[in-house]
Amino acid sequence: MSKEQYCSPHPAHAPLLLAAVCAHWRSIATSTRDLWSSLNFQKSSLAEDDTELLLLWLKRSGSRPFSLRLVLEPAQSQPSASLTAFLSTVFDHLTRFTSLVICVEGSCPVLAESKSQILILQELSLDVEWDDLTVTQLLCNLFRSSAMKSLTYVNFRGFRSDSSPRLDHDWTNVTRLYLAYEMSVMECGWILSQCRRVCEARFELVGYWGESSTDPLVFAPMPLKYLRQLEISSLEDLSPLFNAFNSHSLHAMRISLPRSADPWPHIPFIDWIQRTGCRLQELRIYGPVTEEECAEIALIAGIYPTVSVAPGM
């Protein structure tokens, strides 16, 4: 069995299948902790016995680090008691988890509050309903307590930063970052500047309705020497990011701006190419960029960008 695969709780799959062969196999299977160290739920809704299955997996995995993937689709119209019980159990045992993936296409029920314990989470992926502020508050509490210093992969979708505190976190060890929620370019730049070891970053700034400032936005220089891939979709001007951004190791970049955006940040982008000496291998631009600008980019960067119509935002 691959360590990257999540185990299924289906009777026809390991480890339950192995435990059903005979008494001898059952003894071996139930005592082999690694067989029970991951669990995958992908279904339309949770049942009452799913929480019991989770507890069984946690018990049989002993002290092994645990990985969980929960994907519920389609959306549940109302949070179920089974989902509430399941997620409460997850957060009660959060100190055991190294990887946690939760994707709920509906309102996510109230989760247990963090007890500010040091976690061993290395991978965290959460995708919930846009108006679920409880999860955002939970994350903010965890981040402020510096409980998740071991995180290397972060994937958050569906949170509203304008209604909750900023995700103040020690991002030092994060190497892969994917954020898609209502956030400003200012918050995007602040987070990116903290990720000194990031190799892949993707930001979908899907809209921001917080207070905006009329003052020019200026970032301190961002020496991101490990960054190889960057994707940004934004409704706002990205010029401040390009003015501060510094990564000569970047190989692939994708930028998305809507047709209604201000003029494409052509000059800051050219300045960034010249300042860093970056030699891109892939450049994709979704937005209002002219043929003349593409030609200048090709001359400076040594690569002709792939240009597409901006996606609707």
Side-chain angles (χ1 to χ4, degrees):
M1 296 176 60
S2 171
K3 292 183 178 181
E4 282 71 36
Q5 291 179 338
Y6 292 91
C7 290
S8 169
H10 196 280
H13 299 157
L16 292 181
L17 176 63
L18 299 176
V21 174
C22 63
H24 180 62
W25 278 50
R26 177 179 176 82
S27 176
I28 295 176
T30 55
S31 61
T32 305
R33 306 303 186 192
D34 288 339
L35 287 176
W36 309 88
S37 61
S38 68
L39 186 57
N40 178 44
F41 282 99
Q42 184 163 356
K43 54 202 310 186
S44 59
S45 62
L46 289 177
E48 292 183 6
D49 58 355
D50 287 330
T51 298
E52 297 177 5
L53 277 174
L54 173 60
L55 289 170
L56 175 65
W57 249 256
L58 287 167
K59 178 181 179 181
R60 290 184 175 177
S61 61
S63 59
R64 295 288 192 275
F66 199 83
S67 300
L68 174 68
R69 180 175 182 267
L70 171 65
V71 178
L72 297 185
E73 50 188 22
Q76 298 182 123
S77 58
Q78 294 293 332
S80 68
S82 298
L83 180 56
T84 301
F86 188 92
L87 290 178
S88 295
T89 301
V90 169
F91 280 86
D92 284 344
H93 295 82
L94 199 56
T95 55
R96 289 278 312 279
F97 287 80
T98 56
S99 178
L100 178 60
V101 177
I102 296 178
C103 180
V104 180
E105 298 183 10
S107 285
C108 196
V110 175
L111 301 175
E113 294 184 0
S114 166
K115 300 178 176 58
S116 298
Q117 297 173 314
I118 300 300
L119 307 180
I120 61 173
L121 269 174
Q122 297 176 7
E123 299 185 355
L124 179 59
S125 177
L126 298 177
D127 186 344
V128 299
E129 186 71 17
W130 288 104
D131 60 356
D132 194 332
L133 304 183
T134 303
V135 181
T136 312
Q137 189 63 55
L138 171 67
L139 288 173
C140 291
N141 292 339
L142 286 170
F143 277 24
R144 281 199 303 271
S145 67
S146 298
M148 297 196 283
K149 287 182 175 294
S150 58
L151 274 180
T152 60
Y153 170 67
V154 177
N155 179 2
F156 294 159
R157 291 180 56 87
F159 302 104
R160 293 181 56 177
S161 62
D162 61 310
S163 300
S164 60
R166 185 171 63 182
L167 295 180
D168 292 325
H169 173 55
D170 182 357
W171 300 88
T172 304
N173 294 317
V174 174
T175 59
R176 291 182 297 154
L177 178 65
Y178 179 18
L179 301 179
Y181 56 81
E182 296 168 9
M183 64 189 301
S184 65
V185 170
M186 176 180 292
E187 184 175 0
C188 170
W190 181 87
I191 292 176
L192 191 58
S193 68
Q194 308 301 308
C195 302
R196 298 303 175 90
R197 298 181 183 177
V198 66
C199 299
E200 301 176 16
R202 182 178 179 185
F203 293 89
E204 290 185 28
L205 314 187
V206 295
Y208 182 69
W209 289 270
E211 295 182 1
S212 59
S213 173
T214 57
D215 297 330
L217 186 58
V218 179
F219 292 116
M222 303 179 190
L224 305 173
K225 61 181 180 179
Y226 301 107
L227 186 62
R228 295 177 59 85
Q229 181 173 328
L230 175 65
E231 299 184 30
I232 297 182
S233 300
S234 176
L235 292 168
E236 299 183 61
D237 182 15
L238 296 177
S239 297
L241 281 178
F242 287 125
N243 289 333
F245 187 52
N246 190 354
S247 178
H248 65 275
S249 62
L250 198 66
H251 286 182
M253 176 180 280
R254 299 185 181 186
I255 305 168
S256 298
L257 293 172
R259 284 182 175 273
S260 59
D262 292 333
W264 200 83
H266 174 62
I267 299 301
F269 184 80
I270 292 295
D271 290 344
W272 168 74
I273 292 289
Q274 293 176 322
R275 183 177 72 250
T276 62
C278 176
R279 308 303 296 179
L280 291 172
Q281 298 177 4
E282 178 185 355
L283 174 60
R284 295 183 179 273
I285 300 173
Y286 302 85
V289 56
T290 66
E291 286 295 327
E292 291 77 12
E293 290 171 340
C294 287
E296 186 174 358
I297 291 172
L299 179 64
I300 300 298
I303 182 174
Y304 201 88
T306 300
V307 181
S308 302
V309 176
M313 292 188 180

